[in-house]
């Protein structure tokens, strides 16, 4: 396995300069994600209006994989409908766990860079934390947190 | 005790030690393995591995209940292991050795059983560098029995301040539970002095020795601790087996914890009477093979000798510290006065989990995480650390491989 397949330049770059990092004023959705295994925490803020994700920002600290994944995710979901964002969640989840064959996955665009994680079982949750948090925010907004366990 | 490393050729002595551990010669991810995660678990020498196979292949039977030959032999081997452990830590009798699943279960045994003898308002004192297994059982006891749980702080260096410890003790202190060696920072606590101070206030003392017993000789009678808990798998033995040492006078007074077979004298539906210690605390069929393997591990350590082990590990720790400190992107977490076994650090601007994955690719096994010591991480305001932890079979090459791999981490993250 090539380490570069995991730490692609785009991942390293996004982890060092995460996009959409910080709080959102008056979000419609706030969800905290927690990975009890490593202690990583992430808070996701969304502005959802008329079924569309208008704004997405996040705060937290974690490894390069989790920071890059959250940065790329917030970029990718902006402008999408809730249904599209949920579809993307399922596609990415299938990709990083290796549970969905490529042909059944749907287009994930540049999120493809996260695929290398599937060869590192102990790191799948790092990439998945922000996505579980998104799924929680959209499907169970009455909850205030999700965990990866 | 044997003398230290052979002065003329220490390298060949260490080479010979390494030969006893077959796993060290298997490549990991195509690379030479530098196993520096000994604080999590140590590797096992052939004599321990073979003892398990021999037990299951030649002696397997249940203990303390068969009149047949195999059962008698299994019982003898199990009790011999108990006597061996008593000898290993300098207990006054084998009856003071209770086999448990590990350190965690040993501490829980004390919290549940001795805990029954405590009263609301009694204080249990722990320190801020404890492993979760020496925190959570006392929190549970607090919630069950209304005792008060007090925590002695640590200094920036990662030591327990002696004055803070002294002033935390009072006549209300019923029990003090302390790590002998911190798993997260490597701090060696001056437990002999701390035990004496606690006794002066009438408290009993439990020592969590999980990170100590593979690295230094432990003499429970000299230390005068009341309980001493440790695991087999961190001292070259099998997982799933550990020891609680307890002074006979205390074990006699303590109620049983788990009920079942082997811990009783008589059972009627109205009431049961219990076996004497240690059997009172060993309900059900024990991990017989594990106990035998742990006994073998103690024999192995004794055969190598603590003097050369300590000399070698001290040299190696100093070398690793010096090499790590020469890298400007490394920050040590904890610089205790006396250190054993472990070094915690962070790589500037790189999360420990990324460090762990990259090191793994270079054959270097370390622990990245909170080390089951979240309060220690909070104290240093880091989410996690990288921990390199050592055993007798580690050598300078392992340290060099670690240092080279850390350079690779720096290169990858610029």
């Amino acid at each position: 396995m090539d380490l570069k397949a995991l730490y692609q330049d785009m991942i390293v770059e996004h982890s060092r300069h995460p996009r959409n990092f910080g709080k959102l004023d008056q979000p419609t959705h706030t969800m905290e994600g927690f990975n009890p295994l490593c202690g990583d925490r992430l808070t996701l803020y969304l502005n959802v209006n008329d079924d569309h994700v208008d704004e997405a920002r996040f705060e937290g600290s974690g490894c390069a994989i989790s920071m890059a994944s959250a940065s790329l995710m917030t970029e990718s979901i902006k402008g999408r409908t809730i249904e599209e964002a949920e579809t993307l969640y399922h596609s990415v989840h299938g990709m990083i766990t290796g549970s969905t064959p490529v042909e059944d996955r749907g287009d994930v665009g540049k999120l493809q860079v996260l695929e290398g994680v599937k060869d590192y079982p102990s790191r799948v949750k790092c990439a998945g934390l922000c996505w579980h948090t998104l799924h929680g925010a959209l499907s169970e907004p009455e909850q205030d947190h999700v965990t990866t366990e | 005790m044997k003398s230290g490393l052979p002065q003329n050729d220490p390298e060949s002595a260490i080479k010979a030690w390494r030969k006893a551990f077959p796993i060290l010669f298997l490549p990991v991810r195509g690379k030479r393995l530098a196993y520096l995660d000994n604080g999590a678990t140590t590797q096992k020498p052939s004599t321990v591995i073979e003892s398990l196979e021999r037990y299951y292949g030649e002696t397997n039977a249940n203990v303390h209940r068969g009149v047949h030959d195999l059962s008698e032999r299994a019982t003898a081997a199990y009790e011999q292991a108990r006597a061996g452990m008593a000898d290993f830590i300098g207990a006054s009798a084998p009856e003071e050795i209770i086999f448990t699943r590990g350190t965690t279960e040993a501490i829980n045994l004390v919290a549940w059983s001795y805990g029954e003898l405590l009263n609301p308002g009694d204080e249990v004192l722990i320190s801020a560098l404890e492993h979760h297994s020496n925190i959570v059982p006392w929190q549970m006891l607090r919630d069950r029995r209304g005792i008060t749980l007090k925590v002695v702080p640590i200094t920036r260096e990662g030591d327990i301040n002696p004055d803070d410890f002294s002033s935390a003790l009072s006549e209300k202190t019923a029990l003090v539970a302390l790590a002998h060696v911190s798993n997260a920072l490597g701090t060696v606590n001056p437990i002999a002095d701390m035990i004496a101070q606690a006794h002066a206030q009438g408290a009993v003392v439990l020592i969590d020795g999980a990170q100590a017993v593979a690295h230094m000789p432990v003499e429970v009678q000299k230390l005068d601790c009341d309980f001493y808990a440790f695991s087999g798998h961190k001292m070259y033995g099998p997982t799933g087996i550990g020891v609680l040492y307890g002074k006979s006078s205390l074990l006699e007074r303590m109620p049983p914890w788990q009920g079942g077979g082997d811990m009783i004298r008589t059972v009627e539906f109205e009431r049961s009477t219990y076996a004497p210690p240690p059997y009172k605390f060993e309900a059900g069929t024990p991990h017989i093979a594990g106990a035998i393997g742990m006994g073998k591990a103690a024999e192995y350590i004794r055969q190598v000798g603590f003097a050369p082990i300590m000399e070698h590990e001290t040299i190696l720790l100093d070398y690793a510290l010096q090499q790590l400190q020469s890298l400007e992107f490394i920050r040590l977490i904890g610089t205790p006065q006396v250190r054993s076994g472990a070094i915690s650090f962070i790589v500037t601007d790189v999360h420990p989990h990324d460090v762990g994955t990259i090191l793994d690719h270079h054959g270097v096994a370390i622990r990245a995480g909170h080390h089951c010591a979240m309060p220690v991480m909070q104290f240093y305001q880091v989410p996690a650390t990288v921990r390199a932890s050592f055993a007798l079979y580690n050598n300078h090459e392992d340290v060099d491989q670690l240092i080279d791999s850390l350079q690779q981490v720096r290169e990858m993250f610029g």
Side-chain angles (χ1 to χ4, degrees), chain B residues 103-234:
Chain B
T103 308
T104 298
E105 192 177 65
I107 297 173
N108 274 278
L109 193 163
V110 176
W112 280 89
S113 172
Y114 191 81
E116 287 295 300
L117 307 176
L118 301 186
N119 296 305
D122 283 349
E123 288 181 1
V124 170
L125 185 64
I126 60 173
S127 87
L129 48 67
E130 301 307 319
H131 186 282
H132 294 166
S133 62
N134 202 20
I135 301 173
V136 183
W138 308 116
Q139 290 174 333
M140 291 164 67
L141 175 64
R142 174 194 64 198
D143 298 344
R144 231 172 26 244
R145 302 278 308 171
I147 57 112
T148 303
L149 183 58
K150 276 175 80 173
V151 185
V152 192
I154 54 173
T155 63
R156 283 313 295 174
E157 290 73 30
D159 289 305
I160 298 173
N161 185 322
D163 294 339
D164 289 338
F165 179 74
S166 305
S167 60
L169 289 167
S170 73
E171 71 276 11
K172 283 192 204 150
T173 315
L175 189 145
V176 177
L178 292 171
H180 192 164
V181 177
S182 152
N183 74 306
L185 305 177
T187 312
V188 181
N189 286 319
I191 55 166
D193 179 55
M194 295 164 105
I195 291 164
Q197 285 193 52
H199 282 170
Q201 294 288 349
V204 304
V205 183
L206 176 145
I207 300 295
D208 164 4
Q211 299 293 340
V213 286
H215 302 284
M216 59 194 73
V218 170
E219 296 277 343
V220 289
Q221 287 188 84
K222 271 192 203 145
L223 287 170
D224 197 29
C225 56
D226 301 285
F227 300 103
Y228 196 95
F230 58 107
S231 298
H233 74 102
K234 293 187 203 289

Side-chain angles (χ1 to χ4, degrees), chain A residues 1-4 6-7 12 15-16 36-40 61-65 120 123, chain B residues 29 349 351 353-358 360-362 369-370 374 383-384 410 412-414:
Chain A
M1 268 180 286
D2 180 12
L3 203 50
K4 268 287 174 193
L6 179 64
Y7 292 107
V12 174
S15 74
R16 303 183 79 187
L37 286 186
C38 64
D40 281 358
S61 69
C63 62
I65 308 291
Y120 297 83
R123 303 304 300 278
Chain B
R29 294 196 188 273
D349 297 331
H351 193 280
H353 286 156
D354 297 312
V355 178
T357 295
I358 298 168
D360 172 49
H361 259 264
H362 293 88
H370 51 60
M374 285 187 183
R410 189 71 283 177
M412 186 152 241
F413 282 88

Side-chain angles (χ1 to χ4, degrees), chain A residues 79-137:
Chain A
R80 296 197 189 235
T81 64
I82 290 179
E83 196 184 332
E84 287 167 345
E86 284 280 59
T87 303
L88 196 59
Y89 156 74
H90 288 292
S91 297
V92 171
H93 188 264
M95 176 178 74
I96 63 178
T97 55
S99 59
T100 315
V102 180
E103 57 275 19
D104 301 339
R105 196 180 285 158
D107 183 20
V108 297
K110 65 180 172 186
L111 295 167
Q112 191 72 38
V113 295
L114 295 169
E115 187 175 13
V117 171
K118 72 176 193 298
D119 294 323
Y120 297 83
S122 63
R123 303 304 300 278
V124 169
K125 282 173 183 162
C126 307
L129 176 62
C130 61
W131 293 94
H132 285 291
T133 312
L134 171 70
H135 178 58

Side-chain angles (χ1 to χ4, degrees), chain B residues 75-88:
Chain B
T75 302
Y78 181 67
E79 292 305 328
Q80 194 189 333
R82 191 193 306 279
M85 297 319 300
D87 209 31
F88 183 63

